[in-house]
Structure formats: structure tokens, C-alpha cells
Amino acid sequence: MKPALFEYSAPQTVAEAIALLAADPGAMVLAGGQSLVPAMNLRLASPSRLVDIQHIPGLSGISVAGGEIIVRALTTHRELELSGEAHRANPVIREAMAHVAHIPIRNRGTVVGSLCHADAAAEMPMVLVLTGGSVVAEGPQGTRTIGAEDFFQFHMTTSRESHELVVEARFPVLPAGAGAAFDEFTRRHGDYAIAAVGAIVRLGRDGAADKVAVATCGVGSRPMRLPAVEARLIGTRLAAEDLAAAGEIAKDAVTAPDDINATTSYRQRVVATLVRRVVEKAAHRAGQGR
Amino acid sequence: MSTRAFGSRIKRTVDPALLRGEGAFVDDIPLANPLHAAFVRSPYARAKIASIDVSAARAHPGVVAVYTGEDIGVLDREMPLLIPHPSMTDARTQRPLAKDDVYYVGQTVVMVVAVDRYTAEDAVALVEVDYDPLPVEVDIEAAVKPGAPLVHATHPGNVAAYFVQVSGKPDETIPQAEHVTKIKVKVERSTAAPMECRAVAAQFDAVTGELTVWDGTQAPISVRGGLASIFGLDEDKVRVIAPNVGGGFGQKVLLFYPDELLVPMAAMQLGRPVKYIEDRRENFIGSSQERTQVHEIELYAKKTGEVIALRDSFLHDTGAFIPYGIAVAQVASTSIAGPYRIPNIWVEFTAVYTPTVPVTPYRGCGRPQSCFAIERAMDQLAEELGLDRLEVRRRNLIRDDQFPWTREGLLFADGLRVSLDSGQYAKALEMVSDRLDIPGFTAHQGKALSEGRYLGLGLGFYVEGTGLGPYEGGHIKVHPITGKVYVNTGLTAQGQGHETVFGQIVADQLGVAVEDVILVEGDTRAFDWGVATFASRAAVVSGNAIYKTALIVRKQIIHAAANMLEASEDDIELRDGAAWIRGTDRHAPLAAIATATNPLRYAFNDAAKAATQFAPASRHDGPPLDEGQHPGLEATDYYSPACATWAYGVHAAILEVDPDLCSVKIHKYVCIHDCGNMINPTIVEGQVMGGIAQGIGGAMYERIEYDPEGNPLNANFVDFLIPYATEVPNVEVLHLETPSPLNPLGVKGVGEAGCIAVGAVIASGIEDALAPLGAGKFRQTPITPSMIHAALVAH
Ligand SMILES: Cc1cc2nc3c(=O)[nH]c(=O)nc-3n(C[C@H](O)[C@H](O)[C@H](O)COP(=O)(O)OP(=O)(O)OC[C@H]3O[C@@H](n4cnc5c(N)ncnc54)[C@H](O)[C@@H]3O)c2cc1C
């Protein structure tokens, strides 16, 4: 479990980092190293060069502006989890974050690193999808903003070009009056989700849901919204039969084949259960907020 | 009088250094300019090797040597069959490096030695091996069927061993049965996953001709003997040291693993120290595993629930080779009747070769499987007869006045008959019932059910034959300058706390503080008679050997002190590091006594003056040492048990299943446990809790997954789920102490106890919780959420 030979660079600026990436298609960005280093030790990844971005000033920090929580590339999971400002702006982030690995890993791993790693069962990519967020990527040609739905292509594959550095992620704040919730099932605390579900619900004056966003991860090749589930719930009072029906619909989203932790059929049961419970909790919170 | 150390909760003396990172494990041993080994391992479960090309690897910068089977001289042979037994024909063991054939994914094919492990791994990738893959069958039930692909062409049906044992007269008794319960159970394969993987380092001194091997092994003396014999060296020229070792659980008692021979060979040939530090993936695919067994068990009972006979027929997966013989299957078969009288037993097993990592004992060694079989069968019998689960057990438990309960005809793993020596089985069952309020549980369960919650009660009773022979020794020496007591024994620790418990035994006899007893073990230079650490035997076998030795040294001290203090031996008491004339303040420190018993020529300190030739106390009428007398305070003695001593316990839990998520939460877990006299209850509890944690792993999480081609799918800590602290429930341990009548200390082993019953507890609890939903039976562990889901869907 020793990595193959690689070059190492510690650029001081974003421009330098991008130049290094552009010069060598085999180069990879090193952030907190919590996914990349194990992959290198197992020789599943053998980058020719590591571009360590940890020494670039100005790439850290969290701010809330223009209706978005802006998370710079070097922000660790733990910093975002503990940020009061971010929590007030969108409480679903902290709720989801408690399920990302364990505190020592959250102390080192970065939120943007997790998004770029794009594991199909990872929590933060799903939260970006749920909230309708985006990432900002910088390359030799300049900067572009990529919406979450376009960014996550497949398990561990994003639409980032290999010479681009993701400099920040943007999570929209929770809409006024809405409630949000997140839950997942893992066999052990802190593992990647067998299935996770997040929901954002707003209730109209009549008590019926007028805005519903539901997203899931762990059940397919990438995190995704569940439009059919949302459609079934919008306009209803989210009664038990509505939730049960929505859960049944959610089963269709499961494309993951049987694996050593869960059969497809079991994953369907989990996602249906979580949709019921999470939507109900989000609605309850929306109700309390009013 | 100082308080007795034996039996008290003394903190483990080894912990501060280990917790501060001051331990010295094999990889920490400083070696001058060492080389590092890495292996090319088979990517196929079964294949013919067509060709091996190592030229690119040999040419790689930094590579010092590359070995195939052709290049290893005397080592190119099948490794020893450690425990021969007539039930095996032509038992197969592996070669250090595969030749012609590979038999499991992970088998070592080529060894690369290079300047560092990075370079060695780079070169491993450059070795080209051409394989012709062969068909495989990894499922043991399919592997014994006609036509199944064979692991070894020499073994039709993949049968490695077949053995039947009979106790009593099952054939005559069975027709008298009024009820028959028959079930089939399966326990899956797991692995010990010690925190430190295996490690070997070797250094050869060409001047003295001495080979020194640091080996993270549980059996340094046995490894030493094997190395001396295979390399044709004098035993005295081979020193094997097991330094700090981070967990063993049986996995580190196999000899030999290929690296244990190849690393010393390379060190001798290359004239430089060589080391091999196994990584986690290698531990998963190269170091022994255990557990897969399929039992078909039948209980023949009276209507009262009294079981009059038992038949069990099981398949045991031994992996690709059977180096440790039938030990696991034999322990399983001889433990099959558990704590119950069941006077008539017929038990048969077939050990089956599969193209997978070889199987040798892992903590529990067959007992978790047999406990699972008998306990699940007892639950089933209770259900079929409409009896309470506790009641059916009560009616069958061996009564206190029936000990020793001998199962004539069953030979245990030590080749000696099974005889359960002592216990209070019924009391243990009552204790667990009281503690969990089992009589009140049905009402509690019913109330929860009315709220839509599914509670279940799980129960498992186990016995454990512990403290196997053949023997261990103890050596004690009081050092003349410091007065500290040095103790040696032949086995070695992997974190158990031997320093503390052996220290406690000696401290009481010699009247010294536990901290002043220094244990040196795991080094053949320090003591080289003995066997190894396994089978919950250290406290029983080494503990009693050290105790017997301490009694001899105690006598020596009292005799010498009586002379020095001019008092009668009866008036001497030992305490606070000195010998005292009882009721006075006249005393002699231990150091002074040790010095005085050693006739001296040179006076190096005040105490020594008294022992020199012209001192008044010296004898002037003959030789300073009598014929047959030895200098100093020192003794060696041995303890060899007549047979195993049987510990036991009962576990019960209240758990809750969420049928929507198929998740299981353990609300309460109680363990009643009896290992005879406890030397140190804290250490006993640590052993029990650690065992239970491993048992929870086996019951709910851990399963080595092989695909149908024999590829391991979860050979890492991401995918092989070991429970975290968050998954292991709080456990309440209550003790019973029934002294073993078989040894002077009255102790029984405790090392494996915790893990044995957990699978039965969890399965019976889940079954109980989901009974209202008609989920059926849970007779296979680990029980995963997908299995619960499948059970709910099927009904
Ligand atoms: C034991 C353990 C358990 C874990 N459990 C979970 C879990 O339950 N859920 C979960 O989501 N994660 C889990 N993780 C993964 C962890 O959360 C991720 O490793 C971490 O979030 C990734 O961030 P990092 O900074 O460590 O990225 P790195 O490991 O440094 O990089 C990850 C990948 O992203 C790329 N990358 C990183 N930053 C950038 C950037 N700014 N621009 C472009 N590319 C970039 C890298 O090149 C690499 O390909 C676990 C990890 C461990 C070790």
C-alpha cells in the first residue's frame, strides 16, 4: 500500500495551480487528501503530479451573500458544519454533515474536495443537488459556473475539465418559510449512505405543500432530484397516504445493482422509508417555522 | 499485611507506554540499512502457472533480489502440517512461493526484495506471470457435490478430512425420543483483522552465525524450532523475538506464513537485514481466516424438553490448505452439546477445500459455530414443544452436583477427553433472567408492539474448553542489586496484559509490589521452553507454572531470610519487598537476601560485603555452595494440565428492529460469565467486552465476500465492516466465580469467551422481535439488513 512515484508541487496562486494542471494531463489536485491519498496507496489512482492547493492564500472561508452560502475550496467539512452563519442560512447542511465520515476526517477533508470526488453515495454532492447549488471552476480560459445537475455526471465523474480548479461551491440559502430535513441509512455510523434522502418543503396558507424538493444519493450512479416524487407531493397536505405513495415512486430511482451492503430490493425499501420520514420531518419544520 | 494482588482490579501496567506510542512493534525495531520485501500474489482463485518472467523486475533500479519458487532452495517444499490427525489423508499445505499451481487469490508467487517498500511494490508490478485459469467452486455445499471443480486433484469431493465422534449410545437412544427437532444453520467466514498486521524482520550475523528474527507471532519458540530445523541451524543460533504485537486472535499462531521463512532466507543470503510489513490488503488475502460452517443438527427429546440425544453433521470450510489440521472442526464438534447434559451424541464433520484463503483458528475457534447450532436448535425445540426458552434450557443444563461431566468418546483439541469440570449453570441462567427481568419481558414486548415497535429477546449459553496443554513454564529470578523480580515464560502477549496478571500472581507470593515484577516473554533468548499463546491458555497454563515457580522462590527466600535474621522459618513473613520477623521490625530486603544467597568474591556494594569470603556470615567449613545448591533466588517450574478446564457463560439482550429500515438496535446486553477465580476482574472484563465486540461483528457485520470466481470483494476496511464503538452496545458483565478444581490457582481461560454466544443472541433476538410479522427464522450470521428485508418480503 505504497503509492507509485509522483511529482509534487505546492503552488502559491490559483493561476499557478491551473498552469500546472494544464501542463500535465496526468496531474491531480490534492486538497484534504482523505479520498485521494487512500486511492493512491491502493494504486487505484497514480497521478503523475500532485498539485497541492493547500498553500494557496484566499482559497479558504465561508460567506453568505446574494442568497448563497459560498464555500471556498479549502473549507473543511468541519468548518462548514460548525459555521453558525451557514447554519442559519440553511440548516440542512449541518444536518447532512453529521453523516459525513467521522470528525477526524471532517477536520481534514474539504467540502469542495468531496464535490469533485463525486462519490455517488456522498452526502454533500446530494445537498448541492437538493438545494439547486453550483460550483465555480477556474481554468486557463477563465471562470465558469456549473449547476449541480450538470456537474455530477456519474459515480466519481464530474463535468470539470482536468485543467480546471474548482474554487468554490455555492449552496442557496433555505427559502423563507421552508423546512428542510436530511436522513440516511448506513450499516455503520459514518459510512457512505446505502441511501440518503434530503427534502425541502414549503407549505401554503391552506397547509398544502406549495414547494417540494426531494433528492437522494447512494441509489444510482449520481445524486439526483426525484421529480416524480416531488410532483406527487406538491399540492397535497402530505398525509400518510401521500407520503407512502411518494415513497413507492421513489423506488423507481434505485438503479444500483445488488452489492455487498444492500440488494436493490432492500435499497428500494430504504429509500421509500426515508422519503416518507424525511419529507414529513421537513414539513413539520416548515409548519413550526410559520 | 499488604493487600492481595490476586483478584484485585489493578490497572494494566502495559498501557501507559502503549498509549504514549512508546511500544516497539516489529516495524519499530531499528535495523541497519534494511531491505524490504513485497510479493507478487495470485490474482486467480485457481490456475496453472504457464510462465513467470521476472527480468524487468530484476532490472528495476533499487531491486536487490527477486525470488521465484525455483530460487529458494530448501524452502521450495510444502510447509509443515502442524497438527497431524488420522482423519486427514495427504493433508495439503502450501509452498512459500507457488509452483505450477495457484490455489487462492492472494497466494504468494514471487518475492521482490528492494531498498524500500515503494520500490519493491513498483517491481512487483513489473513481474509478468502467465496463468491458465481453472474453474472454481467457493460454496462449500456445492464443493462437495459430484462434478464440482477440485481444488486439489488428489482430493475427490474436495474432502480434506472426515471424522465421526460418538459419545454414549445415540443409536439405541434415538428411538426412545418423543420429539425430534431438526434445523440447519450457517455461520459465514470472517477474519481476525488485528490492529497491527503481521510483520517479520530478520538479521543474520555472519561472524557469530546467529540468525535473529523479529516476528509478530503468537508462537516464538515454535517458530524458532521450525526455522532451526528448516535451515539446518543449531537452535541456539536462532533467536526469535515477538516484541509488542498489536493483536493476534489466532491469526498469528500459524507457522509458517511464507514470509516467516523467506525473509530470514533473504537476510542470510543478502547479508543485510530484511523486513516484511504486511499491509491491510495482504492481511485480508494472505493471512488465515475462519468461521464458515454449515450444521444440520437434530435434537431427540422427551415431551418434557429433556434432550436425550443429539446428531450433528457439518461441513467445515478449510480454505485452500489445511496447515493447522482439523483443530477448528474438532473444537466445534466437541463443543456441540454446549452446557447441556445430552448424554448421547453423534457428530460428524467433513472439512472441505475451497480455493480461498486458508482457514486456521480465529478467536472462538469453532465454538461460535457450534454454539450457534445448539442454541438455535434449543430455541426451536422450545417453540415446537410450547415451552419457554429458559425452561427448556433449565431442564437440560448440567447440574452443579453432576460435575465433572464427562463426554466419553469425544476427544478435545488437545487429544484429551472432554470433561466439563465445574460450574453453576442454572444460577447463571437465573442471574441473566433477573438482570433483564426476562419474566416481565413478554408484557413489555406486547406494550411496545401495540405502539408499532418490535422488541425481541435474544439468548445464548456457551461453554468453552480452555487452558490446553501440553505445558508452559515459568522462570523467576530475584535480582540481587535492585531486588526486582524477573519473570519469564514461553508464550507471548498481543495486548492481553500478561505483565499485570503474572505480576499479580508473583507479587502475592514474594511480597513485592506488582510494579516490581518484570515480565520478559516472547524472546527465545529469555526462555525457550514452551508452546504459544492460543486457546485461552495463558492464565491457566503459564499462570499456574509461574505460580508454582513462585512458591519455590518463596521457600528459598524464607529459608535464606531465616538464616540471615536468625529466626525460625515459621516466623518469617514476606511483604513490602522484604522478609520480616513477624511482629517485629527486624527485616532483610529482598535484594540483600538475593545477594546473600550468592557467595561473592567481590564486594560491589554494602549488601555484597556480607556475601564475600571473609565476611562473618560466610561459611568457612566447606564449599560456599552445597552440592546441588544454586546461587541466588531463582527457580524454574512447569505446569502441564491434565485436560482442558471449562469456562462458560450466558448472554442475553433486548433489541429492537425497525422493520422499515431493517435496522437493529440493541437496547440492553447482559453477560454472565464464569472463568473460575479471577486474577484481575478489569482484565477479565476487557477480554469479555473485546470478545463481544468481535462477536457483534460476526453476528451483524463481518463477512468475507468472495464472488463466484473466488475474488475477494471486500479486502479492505471500507467494505469489510468491523463494528465501530458506535455499533457495539454497552454491555453489563456480571461475574460468577466457580474455581476450577483442575489447577492450583482455580482459574479458567477467558480470552475467547466473549465472542462465542453473540451470534446466537442476536439471531434469536431478531427472530423474536419479528415473529409478529411472520418473518420466520434467522439461522445464518451475519444477519444483514438485506437479509431481514428478504425475510420480511418472503412472508
Ligand atoms: C474513513 C472515511 C470515511 C468516509 N466517509 C465518508 C462519508 O460517509 N461520506 C462522504 O461524503 N465522504 C466520506 N469520506 C470521504 C471524505 O469526505 C472525502 O475524502 C473528502 O470529503 C474529500 O475531500 P478532500 O479534501 O479530502 O479531497 P482529496 O482527497 O484531496 O481529493 C478528492 C478528489 O477531488 C479532487 N479535488 C479536490 N479538490 C479539488 C478542487 N478544488 N478542484 C478540483 N478537484 C479537486 C482531487 O483531485 C481528488 O480527485 C470518507 C473518507 C474516509 C477516509
Side-chain angles (χ1 to χ4, degrees):
Chain A
M1 282 201 193
K2 303 288 182 201
L5 267 185
F6 58 88
E7 300 285 335
Y8 172 86
S9 321
Q12 302 290 313
T13 65
V14 169
E16 218 184 305
I18 292 167
L20 284 161
L21 290 172
D24 180 354
M28 285 182 86
V29 176
L30 175 70
Q34 296 301 291
S35 290
L36 183 52
V37 172
M40 287 170 66
N41 285 345
L42 290 164
R43 299 199 177 200
L44 297 173
S46 297
S48 49
R49 176 181 297 275
L50 283 185
V51 179
D52 182 354
I53 59 172
Q54 291 174 95
H55 306 280
I56 301 177
L59 266 190
S60 40
I62 302 164
S63 55
V64 179
E68 289 181 316
I69 304 163
I70 300 160
V71 180
R72 298 284 284 164
L74 289 178
T75 310
T76 63
H77 289 300
R78 190 71 173 152
E79 283 166 333
L80 182 59
E81 179 184 3
L82 297 180
S83 159
E85 196 184 10
H87 180 61
R88 283 187 294 279
N90 198 334
V92 79
I93 289 178
R94 185 179 287 175
E95 191 169 24
M97 198 67 93
H99 296 273
V100 178
H102 313 272
I103 290 172
I105 292 158
R106 298 207 291 274
N107 279 336
R108 304 210 95 195
T110 64
V111 177
V112 169
S114 172
L115 301 177
C116 292
H117 188 63
D119 189 295
E123 290 82 0
M124 294 318 289
M126 188 265 263
V127 172
L128 199 73
V129 168
L130 171 71
T131 56
S134 58
V135 300
V136 177
E138 213 172 309
Q141 269 75 49
T143 294
R144 61 182 181 128
T145 300
I146 312 169
E149 300 267 7
D150 295 330
F151 187 63
F152 302 110
Q153 303 271 302
F154 196 74
H155 179 52
M156 296 179 68
T157 309
T158 67
S159 57
R160 179 184 76 89
E161 300 287 343
S162 66
H163 52 257
E164 283 180 315
L165 184 69
V166 173
V167 292
E168 64 191 37
R170 295 166 167 257
F171 295 88
V173 303
L174 189 66
F182 177 99
D183 201 1
E184 72 177 32
F185 181 73
T186 55
R187 289 183 62 193
R188 295 181 306 184
H189 175 80
D191 282 350
Y192 280 107
I194 282 179
V197 169
I200 296 174
V201 175
R202 198 176 62 193
L203 304 176
R205 285 186 177 285
D206 57 354
D210 68 3
K211 180 177 170 18
V212 178
V214 180
T216 183
C217 66
V219 302
S221 62
R222 60 194 184 107
M224 61 198 145
R225 288 274 288 265
L226 298 175
V229 169
E230 295 170 359
R232 174 63 183 77
L233 294 171
I234 288 176
T236 74
R237 292 177 161 277
L238 307 178
E241 64 269 22
D242 300 319
L243 297 173
E248 283 305 309
I249 295 169
K251 288 181 175 178
D252 293 340
V254 178
T255 55
D258 291 356
D259 66 26
I260 58 175
N261 284 318
T263 59
T264 302
S265 158
Y266 169 61
R267 266 205 169 81
Q268 291 177 330
R269 184 187 199 107
V270 175
V271 83
T273 302
L274 290 175
V275 162
R276 288 200 316 269
R277 292 183 184 177
V278 171
V279 170
E280 185 174 30
K281 191 184 272 181
H284 177 72
R285 288 172 178 169
Q288 278 182 332
R290 281 190 310 171
Chain B
M1 191 68 198
S2 35
T3 49
R4 212 164 109 96
F6 189 106
S8 57
R9 290 183 176 272
I10 290 172
K11 281 195 180 157
R12 289 158 41 101
T13 52
V14 67
D15 285 344
L18 290 180
L19 293 174
R20 282 195 299 260
E22 291 164 3
F25 297 81
V26 172
D27 203 17
D28 300 319
I29 305 294
L31 297 171
N33 206 11
L35 297 168
H36 297 255
F39 290 93
V40 176
R41 293 173 179 277
S42 171
Y44 292 103
R46 187 71 184 85
K48 291 264 174 214
I49 298 176
S51 66
I52 302 178
D53 181 355
V54 298
S55 50
R58 282 215 173 106
H60 190 68
V63 170
V64 176
V66 179
Y67 298 93
T68 68
E70 307 286 337
D71 312 316
I72 58 174
V74 295
L75 297 188
D76 186 27
R77 48 165 285 187
E78 291 196 353
M79 288 190 278
L81 168 64
L82 291 173
I83 308 180
H85 189 274
S87 63
M88 291 176 287
T89 38
D90 183 22
R92 299 301 306 273
T93 62
Q94 83 182 82
R95 291 168 178 275
L97 294 174
K99 207 174 178 184
D100 305 331
D101 285 84
V102 286
Y103 297 92
Y104 62 95
V105 173
Q107 187 177 354
T108 46
V109 181
V110 175
M111 178 170 78
V112 174
V113 181
V115 291
D116 57 45
R117 172 82 186 207
Y118 294 83
T119 309
E121 287 190 24
D122 292 344
V124 160
L126 297 174
V127 173
E128 285 193 25
V129 186
D130 252 347
Y131 297 95
D132 296 323
L134 296 170
V136 299
E137 180 55 71
V138 291
D139 179 86
I140 49 171
E141 291 179 88
V144 291
K145 298 239 163 80
L150 297 183
V151 178
H152 302 286
T154 44
H155 287 73
N158 291 305
V159 174
Y162 174 78
F163 197 45
V164 180
Q165 296 198 74
V166 179
S167 183
K169 297 195 166 74
D171 287 348
E172 287 169 32
T173 329
I174 282 170
Q176 297 159 27
E178 295 161 357
H179 184 88
V180 185
T181 288
K182 181 174 178 176
I183 65 166
K184 179 174 171 182
V185 305
K186 181 171 189 186
V187 174
E188 297 274 7
R189 185 183 281 219
S190 187
T191 185
M195 200 184 294
E196 183 201 16
C197 296
R198 292 189 316 95
V200 186
Q203 175 169 289
F204 183 66
D205 183 332
V207 177
T208 60
E210 278 180 5
L211 173 68
T212 306
V213 178
W214 292 266
D215 188 344
T217 180
Q218 297 171 227
I221 297 174
S222 306
V223 169
R224 197 270 311 261
L227 288 174
S229 128
I230 289 174
F231 289 115
L233 297 169
D234 281 352
E235 274 165 285
D236 204 44
K237 294 289 186 204
V238 183
R239 179 180 183 188
V240 177
I241 302 168
N244 284 137
V245 175
F249 311 109
Q251 191 186 66
K252 297 178 182 171
V253 77
L254 174 64
L255 50 138
F256 291 92
Y257 284 105
D259 45 273
E260 286 176 302
L261 291 174
L262 295 168
V263 167
M265 174 204 74
M268 287 192 281
Q269 281 189 7
L270 303 174
R272 273 172 74 178
V274 179
K275 65 165 144 179
Y276 167 69
I277 307 299
E278 182 188 63
D279 69 27
R280 186 56 66 183
R281 179 175 160 73
E282 292 176 305
N283 186 266
F284 272 107
I285 63 175
S287 291
S288 302
Q289 306 175 342
E290 198 217 286
R291 293 284 193 265
T292 310
Q293 285 182 359
V294 178
H295 288 249
E296 292 187 61
I297 183 170
E298 298 164 8
L299 300 182
Y300 296 87
K302 296 282 185 194
K303 283 266 180 296
T304 56
E306 187 193 351
V307 182
I308 55 173
L310 174 162
R311 280 174 68 95
D312 181 41
S313 171
F314 70 94
L315 299 176
H316 166 75
D317 176 7
T318 189
F321 298 100
I322 192 160
Y324 212 85
I326 58 162
V328 176
Q330 191 165 20
V331 170
S333 59
T334 47
S335 306
I336 191 66
Y340 309 113
R341 292 186 301 275
I342 313 183
N344 304 291
I345 299 168
W346 184 92
V347 55
E348 137 195 278
F349 68 79
T350 304
V352 185
Y353 287 120
T354 57
T356 59
V357 172
V359 166
T360 69
Y362 155 43
R363 191 186 210 174
C365 183
R367 300 176 186 91
Q369 298 93 314
S370 56
C371 177
F372 193 66
I374 181 70
E375 289 300 281
R376 298 280 45 225
M378 285 306 244
D379 282 356
Q380 183 63 24
L381 176 66
E383 184 182 316
E384 288 173 5
L385 294 177
L387 286 170
D388 176 69
R389 278 184 282 170
L390 272 72
E391 185 55 29
V392 92
R393 286 175 168 82
R394 244 175 240 131
R395 293 181 186 178
N396 285 287
L397 288 174
I398 299 167
R399 289 196 312 269
D400 300 3
D401 61 3
Q402 291 176 315
F403 291 105
W405 185 266
T406 301
R407 302 198 193 279
E408 281 314 333
L410 301 191
L411 291 187
F412 199 48
D414 49 5
L416 302 168
R417 64 190 186 154
V418 171
S419 180
L420 294 88
D421 48 281
S422 56
Q424 304 171 66
Y425 293 178
K427 183 167 179 194
L429 194 63
E430 292 326 302
M431 279 171 75
V432 86
S433 174
D434 288 351
R435 199 68 207 169
L436 276 179
D437 186 23
I438 291 179
F441 176 70
T442 312
H444 184 47
Q445 187 180 33
K447 181 165 177 294
L449 188 60
S450 69
E451 297 158 2
R453 294 172 50 217
Y454 295 83
L455 297 185
L457 171 74
L459 183 69
F461 208 128
Y462 71 91
V463 294
E464 186 200 357
T466 73
L468 309 198
Y471 78 94
E472 289 295 339
H475 169 249
I476 297 179
K477 180 174 178 179
V478 182
H479 279 230
I481 298 195
T482 57
K484 294 209 178 185
V485 180
Y486 273 71
V487 177
N488 309 114
T489 184
L491 42 67
T492 183
Q494 302 80 43
Q496 294 90 336
H498 291 177
E499 311 75 10
T500 313
V501 291
F502 295 157
Q504 287 175 262
I505 292 170
V506 173
D508 282 346
Q509 297 313 319
L510 306 193
V512 297
V514 174
E515 306 83 73
D516 289 335
V517 182
I518 314 249
L519 178 72
V520 179
E521 57 174 2
D523 180 351
T524 56
R525 187 57 56 84
F527 193 80
D528 67 351
W529 292 113
V531 188
T533 303
F534 62 92
S536 308
R537 68 192 292 274
V540 179
V541 192
S542 275
N544 279 293
I546 289 168
Y547 171 72
K548 287 173 67 190
T549 312
L551 292 182
I552 300 173
V553 176
R554 176 183 172 83
K555 265 206 170 127
Q556 293 173 357
I557 297 171
I558 290 176
H559 178 73
N563 275 341
M564 285 172 76
L565 298 170
E566 296 178 336
S568 141
E569 290 188 16
D570 295 341
D571 290 337
I572 300 290
E573 78 179 359
L574 304 184
R575 62 175 161 86
D576 302 329
W580 304 72
I581 301 179
R582 218 182 298 276
T584 76
D585 59 2
R586 290 188 51 213
H587 69 279
L590 218 48
I593 304 170
T595 305
T597 50
N598 177 26
L600 286 171
R601 181 151 184 85
Y602 308 114
F604 47 79
N605 67 13
D606 275 352
K609 270 188 217 159
T612 50
Q613 44 267 317
F614 302 111
S618 294
R619 43 185 297 192
H620 303 286
D621 56 348
L625 278 183
D626 272 339
E627 198 56 36
Q629 199 189 348
H630 63 77
L633 302 172
E634 182 173 14
T636 303
D637 202 358
Y638 299 88
Y639 173 69
S640 180
C643 65
T645 179
W646 289 70
Y648 67 94
V650 52
H651 294 194
I654 291 173
L655 54 76
E656 178 167 357
V657 184
D658 172 346
D660 289 334
L661 288 178
C662 304
S663 59
V664 177
K665 179 145 183 49
I666 300 163
H667 290 310
K668 275 191 187 150
Y669 197 110
V670 174
C671 160
I672 313 295
H673 178 259
D674 188 347
C675 59
N677 292 331
M678 287 189 286
I679 306 170
N680 183 328
T682 304
I683 285 183
V684 167
E685 284 159 14
Q687 286 292 330
V688 172
M689 304 284 278
I692 290 176
Q694 263 171 332
I696 294 281
M700 296 167 70
Y701 299 97
E702 298 171 4
R703 177 187 144 126
I704 296 283
E705 301 277 351
Y706 281 104
D707 73 9
E709 276 73 53
N711 298 303
L713 298 178
N714 57 348
N716 61 64
F717 276 164
V718 178
D719 299 311
F720 180 80
L721 305 184
I722 289 181
Y724 299 133
T726 39
E727 279 66 55
V728 178
N730 287 330
V731 175
E732 193 179 352
V733 183
L734 301 180
H735 301 285
L736 269 170
E737 282 185 276
T738 315
S740 170
L742 300 180
N743 62 68
L745 290 173
V747 297
K748 302 178 180 183
V750 66
E752 297 166 275
C755 70
I756 300 171
V758 185
V761 174
I762 299 297
S764 67
I766 292 174
E767 194 170 290
D768 188 35
L770 293 180
L773 294 174
K777 302 299 175 185
F778 289 85
R779 292 186 180 147
Q780 183 175 340
T781 57
I783 301 174
T784 64
S786 292
M787 283 163 64
I788 295 174
H789 164 72
L792 289 169
V793 169
H795 286 79

